[in-house]
Each structure stands twice: as C-alpha cells, then as structure tokens.
Amino acid sequence: MVIASILRTKGNRVVALGPEETILSAARLLTENRIGAVLVRGPAGELLGILSERDIVRGMAAQGPGTTGLLVSQFMTRQLVTIRPETLVVEALGLMTERRVRHLPVLDAGGGLIGMVSIGDLVKARIEAAVQEAEELKHYVVSAG
C-alpha cells in the first residue's frame, strides 16, 4: 500500500499557519482541528517548517513562563522530513521511527505540497490491510474446503 491511497481516503486538507503567529494561536489551532502538528508556511505558501505539540512542549520547557506570546518561528522544526505519494506505508513508518517524527508532509515530484499523513493514519491503514487480508484468507480456506 502506498501513501497516495491513504490520501485518497483521508483527503489532502492540510492545516497551516504563518511563522509570525503566536504559540497560543498555534495551540488553539491544533486543539480546534484535533491534530498534533501544523505546517508553517511563508507568505507565498512555501513550506518553512512544522510545529508539533512536542515542539511546543520543548519550547515551553526551554523558555519558561510567558511562552504563549512567542512566535511560531521560534519553536518550529525547520528541517522537514517529507515523503512522496508513491512511498510505501511500511517505508513511511520506518522513516518516522528512524527520524522520531509523527507527521510527514507529502510532496509531489515538483516539491509541491499535496497532503500530510500522521502515524495514526499509517497505523490505521496497516490495520485495515491486515483485517482485509485475514478476511480474504478465511474466504479462501472456506471456499477451498
């Protein structure tokens, strides 16, 4: 199974904000959308980084009280780990484990953003595939017997 199949089911909506937004507005955006990370985009829509719940917690631990008014650009991760739509789900899971990330922006061949997947999306897809395979094997065994 490839990432493109997950995006077909999930959709390609990606939540983003600008680097000049505050950590408080970012936290509210994450909460309202019930997501764990948001992409950070520049004025022309270019990808500048990603801000995760983990980034916020680390930033708050380092900066102390009063961090909600600081800028997203101060907390975001600038080095994006990305994948392509033809990436296998198992490869993406391996990349997440290796790079210790939970969200992967999906880029087309030209580097354009076409979606984002989370660890939850990938685990869900693997479980659904395993259930389907088990059902097919069960049907095969029953019909062959």
Side-chain angles (χ1 to χ4, degrees), residues 3-138:
I3 297 299
S5 63
I6 293 175
L7 291 179
R8 277 192 294 275
T9 304
K10 173 187 174 174
N12 60 357
R13 179 178 174 266
V14 176
V15 179
L17 50 64
E20 72 290 341
E21 297 287 332
T22 65
I23 291 301
L24 179 59
S25 64
R28 286 181 175 151
L29 186 64
L30 292 171
T31 301
E32 289 166 6
N33 287 280
R34 301 182 64 184
I35 54 177
V38 60
L39 289 176
V40 182
R41 299 182 88 165
E46 70 276 18
L47 286 176
L48 301 176
I50 189 168
L51 180 75
S52 68
E53 295 165 325
R54 186 183 296 173
D55 292 325
I56 293 172
V57 170
R58 285 181 181 155
M60 291 178 81
Q63 299 289 332
T67 55
T68 58
L70 296 178
L71 301 180
V72 165
S73 60
Q74 294 174 262
F75 286 57
M76 70 182 190
T77 298
R78 295 175 190 277
Q79 296 296 322
L80 287 172
V81 179
T82 63
I83 55 174
R84 302 268 311 269
E86 61 272 11
T87 302
L88 294 173
V89 170
V90 293
E91 290 176 42
L93 283 166
L95 185 60
M96 286 179 158
T97 301
E98 176 187 317
R99 300 295 297 272
R100 300 183 55 85
V101 297
R102 296 178 184 166
H103 301 84
L104 295 170
V106 183
L107 307 181
D108 64 19
L113 178 67
I114 58 171
M116 187 157 72
V117 293
S118 70
I119 187 95
D121 298 328
L122 301 184
V123 169
K124 179 183 174 190
R126 291 283 294 171
I127 290 170
E128 288 171 355
V131 167
Q132 181 179 355
E133 183 179 337
E135 286 298 318
E136 289 171 0
L137 286 171
K138 180 180 172 184

